[in-house]
Amino acid sequence: MTENNKKKLKLKVSAIKNGTVIDHIPAKSLFKVITILGLDKISNQITFGTNLESGKLGHKAIIKVSDKYFKDEEIDKIALIAPHAKLNIIKDYEVVEKRVVEIPETIKGIAKCFNPKCITNNEKINTCFKVISKNPIALKCHYCEKITNENQMVIK
Amino acid sequence: MKKKDLISINDFTKEEYMRIMELAGEFEENPNQDLLQGKVVASLFFEPSTRTRLSFETAISRLGGKIIGFTDSSSSSVKKGETLHDTIKMVSNYADMIVMRHPLEGSARYAAEVSDVPVINAGDGANQHPTQTLLDMYSILKTQDTLDNMNIFMVGDLKYGRTVHSLLMAMSQFENPIFNFIAPEELQMPDEYKLYLKNLGIRYFEHKEFTDIISEADIIYMTRVQKERFSDPIEYEKVKNVYILKNDMLENTKPNLKILHPLPRVNEIHTDVDENTKAYYFTQALNGVFTREAIISHIMNLK
Ligand SMILES: [Zn+2]
């Protein structure tokens, strides 16, 4: 079997009829993506694969959710941890639309403020950041006004 | 109508700055005005700051308001583990306005979100202390007749000094300011603020020596160099006596020059400067009462 045919076969085995395929998730972020999107709380059929070879990411993960389509603001929540994720919208086994995630202007929850003296790290408060730079990511805390850089960023 | 708060100096527009300045002038003329009669103001000091608290409480008293609150959190329910959220919820039911000081950064912004009544930030950790900035601006306006074209020298701890950061942001809203930063290597103005000035096309210069360059200054803003800011105590020993303003250094300075300091000072302004007419830091502190009366009136829509 040629490489190309193998690929096609693999795709066929795990294909879904209707729903969304989220590809190019960094393998280490798979479970965070599942939590952020609330996929652990819905009853749709979900299959996922992880530690798949990927040239770009090293190891990637993929999630296929049947009968579910995401709103932009829903999917943009994963931008901080899976900035290169690609979405395939499937209808009747066909990819009808491809989408990429975009880092939103404001980010609520998800990330922690790096400042240990910030109120959000001392009391139960949802964090809120203004995105002041997208590449590299820099987040300005709505509360303490300090800037959390990409390399200081911790996902809650 | 949406309630007003004062949390960060950046919350106010240039027009609001000018309105506060105008009102502060009115209160300086006539400090006792019963605008807060029948109103209760909560003064919540989760960490002690006698100077700021007395200034606020004087302002509230001169406006005829009643004060409730605490002077540090050791005597309050906070010590028993009550969350800031719950303290603010409770107090905002009692009072018509809240003045608060808290050691955690962002606490004031959060309190304003929780509270149904206006909140004035009297300092949240190393973050913001906007009423200090407004009283600094009032002091500049009063002594220079303008906030435009000011050459401002900032001296000492420019890294952690929140007062200099806020003053820099506020004065950048006015015409043609020039900033000169004099600080030791370890305590230089953070890049974030230099970038802010650069983006606005505002000129700034950095110096390590505190010398006759101050002859250009309209304002010298002195700050304390604190020992605990230094990772290496030897570094502190090296610089602790370098950034001290002495009277003989003022000989060739401009006649309109005024020296400001947020107080308390330790040794960074020699006492021989106090008698010089260019020393303004004690009057500056008094201006704080008028400015805070103005801020309260503005926030509470009393004028
Ligand atoms: Zn923060």
Side-chain angles (χ1 to χ4, degrees), chain B residues 51 132 136 163 221-224 260-264 281 284:
Chain B
R51 195 171 296 277
Q132 175 72 47
D136 293 342
T163 53
Y221 200 101
M222 296 293 299
T223 64
R224 208 146 38 104
L260 304 184
H261 189 299
L263 302 180
Y281 27 93
Q284 180 189 1

Side-chain angles (χ1 to χ4, degrees), chain A residues 113 115 118 120 141 143-145:
Chain A
C113 178
N115 175 12
C118 178
T120 61
C141 178
Y143 292 98
C144 75
E145 305 183 23

Side-chain angles (χ1 to χ4, degrees), chain B residues 1 8 15 17 20 68 121 131 171 201 228 237 245 247 264 279 281-282 287 300:
Chain B
M1 201 167 132
S8 164
E15 286 67 38
Y17 293 152
I20 303 281
I68 59 166
N121 182 6
T131 61
M171 290 303 291
E228 54 273 26
E237 292 304 320
L245 184 65
N247 198 38
Y281 27 93
F282 294 118
N287 288 339
M300 298 283 286

Side-chain angles (χ1 to χ4, degrees), chain A residues 51-101:
Chain A
N51 296 327
L52 309 170
E53 293 293 331
S54 162
K56 238 198 287 180
L57 296 167
H59 287 97
K60 69 165 185 175
I62 186 166
I63 305 174
K64 305 179 183 197
V65 192
S66 290
D67 303 313
K68 169 118 185 123
Y69 302 101
F70 296 93
K71 292 194 197 93
D72 282 351
E73 59 264 33
E74 238 180 318
I75 207 70
D76 287 347
K77 285 189 193 167
I78 69 168
L80 284 188
I81 53 168
H84 304 294
K86 288 193 173 58
L87 273 76
N88 291 311
I89 318 299
I90 315 283
K91 284 188 178 150
D92 205 17
Y93 297 105
E94 298 280 335
V95 176
V96 294
E97 194 192 337
K98 284 176 183 283
R99 267 163 45 196
V100 290
V101 298

Side-chain angles (χ1 to χ4, degrees), chain A residues 115 117 119 123 142-144, chain B residues 8 83-85 105-106 113 127:
Chain A
N115 175 12
K117 288 195 71 192
I119 187 74
E123 192 152 317
H142 167 69
Y143 292 98
C144 75
Chain B
S8 164
T83 60
L84 178 63
H85 174 274
E105 290 146 31
E113 289 174 0
N127 183 34

